[in-house]
Amino acid sequence: MVVAASVVAAVGTAAGVLTAVGDRAPVDEARRAEVTGMPRPKRPPVPSPSPSEIPVPPSATATSAAPASVTPRPSPRAASAPERPAAVAPPRLYRHPDSQVLAWVHGNADDPRREVIRSRIADRPAAVWFADHAPATITARVAAVTSGAAAAGRVPVLVPYVIPDRDCGGHSEGGAPDLAAYDAWIDAFAAGLGSGEVIVILEPDSVAQSECLSAGERADRFASLARAGRVLKAAGPRARVYYDAGHSGWHPAGRQAALLRQAGAADPASSDGIFSNVSNFHTTADETAYDRQVLDALGGPAGLGAVIDTSRNGNGAPADGEWCDPDGRKIGRAPTLDTGAARIDGYLWVKLPGESDGCKGEPGTFTPSYAYDLAR
């Protein structure tokens, strides 16, 4: 997308191996395309004991790499005071055993940056992104993640990111060929949810960045999103579905709530609330205030809540609005579902720290120097 929302890393789908350049870690693009991890989204991790021991079928391998960028809209607001990331959070969230950062940690035992990256990023759970339109395999790939999480007694965070015309043709362009194909893909995605607890970050930027569509196209997209929420919640009895609220430096809360209402986010049959700050940098305090304003304007049942991507917001957003791997950022609060804050259901790492937006590394690839700067 252009300068607009959060940064979801671009999705690579070519088979073969991406050769490392500089300090960028090599990525097996064929594996990454099967279940693509976050850039952007969604949700966006807490240190968790080794779910990496759970066997995952090779054909259902998932990575936490996200599409390259949900582009953050620049905000004129100056950065707030740095936040202190929590050292440890309750280990309820799931850390998938296959991610670019874990692969780098396992392959670079002698790198002096390894321990900082391992302890502050790799050991914490992050969202798993599904960003390629591959309807024949999506059910099995989702089930591989949800069954692994259930066996470990953990809660996975899943990010479906296949809405047609995603990113308005920007860095993360792609998705399903049309809404009918998207609806069928969502049906297949939902079939893999299982009966365990799961959090779904539904289509980062799909609501906040919808103004590039015509009024008719936007109405059709919102109808598909409302349907997606209903299908996901009907298929997964313990699934929680959250809708795109952009972030505090983008639309005013009332405007965002009006868009969300059209997309079904106020309907408890479709929605458990909203998510914000995916792949962006705004402070938890700013997002908490903004999300509560959006929820108040949205209406709907009192039980609707919000989750916030805290993966890179420890120093707040750059004053100049830069969104692409900006210098001086830090990881934020550790992922947890126990926030202690009213109407805030979780702090999640939807965008995995160290996966580039496309400026310090190839879009969507793990860049150790960037990860180290964020974590130290």
Side-chain angles (χ1 to χ4, degrees):
M1 63 178 62
V2 291
V3 184
S6 345
V7 175
V8 184
V11 183
T13 55
V17 175
L18 179 66
T19 305
V21 178
D23 68 354
R24 297 197 280 274
V27 177
D28 182 334
E29 289 289 325
R31 286 161 53 103
R32 187 158 64 100
E34 289 181 348
V35 176
T36 309
M38 37 183 297
R40 168 196 236 343
K42 174 39 171 176
R43 92 238 289 191
V46 186
S48 53
S50 56
S52 51
E53 297 170 4
I54 301 167
V56 178
S59 63
T61 299
T63 75
S64 61
S69 270
V70 177
T71 311
R73 182 177 297 278
S75 168
R77 177 178 307 157
S80 304
E83 298 185 11
R84 300 176 79 87
V88 177
R92 287 186 60 204
L93 290 164
Y94 182 55
R95 185 195 68 175
H96 194 275
D98 183 13
S99 70
Q100 295 185 72
V101 62
L102 281 169
W104 183 87
V105 166
H106 293 153
N108 292 272
D110 296 330
D111 193 300
R113 301 167 296 186
R114 179 180 183 275
E115 181 56 25
V116 169
I117 292 173
R118 181 199 65 76
S119 62
R120 304 208 69 197
I121 296 177
D123 282 356
R124 297 184 177 184
V128 180
W129 290 68
F130 298 82
D132 59 313
H133 181 249
T137 59
I138 187 63
T139 301
R141 288 155 42 207
V142 172
V145 177
T146 57
S147 61
R154 300 287 185 264
V155 181
V157 177
L158 310 181
V159 186
Y161 187 58
V162 180
I163 196 79
D165 299 314
R166 70 179 183 206
D167 201 17
C168 294
H171 290 290
S172 299
E173 65 181 335
D178 53 46
L179 287 172
Y182 178 73
D183 293 347
W185 185 87
I186 282 289
D187 291 346
F189 183 102
L193 291 178
S195 59
E197 189 175 0
V198 58
I199 292 172
V200 179
I201 302 299
L202 182 61
E203 299 292 343
D205 284 356
S206 61
V207 177
Q209 202 191 13
S210 63
E211 291 181 338
C212 68
L213 304 174
S214 69
E217 290 169 337
R218 187 161 55 248
D220 289 344
R221 171 183 284 191
F222 288 170
S224 275
L225 287 172
R227 177 191 181 276
R230 292 193 300 270
V231 168
L232 293 164
K233 289 184 68 63
R238 299 176 67 197
R240 286 188 269 167
V241 179
Y242 293 89
Y243 280 72
D244 168 41
H247 58 70
S248 60
W250 202 345
H251 297 303
R255 170 60 177 157
Q256 187 63 34
L259 295 171
L260 283 161
R261 197 176 303 112
Q262 296 173 55
D267 181 357
S270 299
S271 170
D272 292 272
I274 61 174
F275 63 83
S276 71
N277 209 42
V278 168
S279 294
N280 220 294
F281 307 92
H282 295 275
T283 65
T284 304
D286 286 346
E287 292 305 299
T288 297
Y290 172 73
D291 288 347
R292 287 171 178 163
Q293 291 170 3
V294 172
L295 289 168
D296 287 345
L298 179 63
L304 296 182
V307 293
I308 298 168
D309 186 352
T310 60
S311 61
R312 306 189 297 180
N313 73 344
N315 271 356
D320 63 1
E322 176 58 56
W323 61 267
C324 187
D325 302 335
D327 291 330
R329 302 312 98 198
K330 298 296 179 186
I331 58 174
R333 299 189 186 196
T336 181
L337 299 179
D338 301 300
T339 69
R343 305 202 80 179
I344 305 301
D345 296 345
Y347 304 134
L348 305 176
W349 281 8
V350 184
K351 168 81 173 179
L352 188 62
E355 289 185 0
S356 176
D357 300 326
C359 292
K360 294 189 175 178
E362 293 296 325
T365 61
F366 180 72
T367 306
S369 59
Y370 183 34
Y372 183 69
D373 287 345
L374 289 166
R376 61 182 174 158

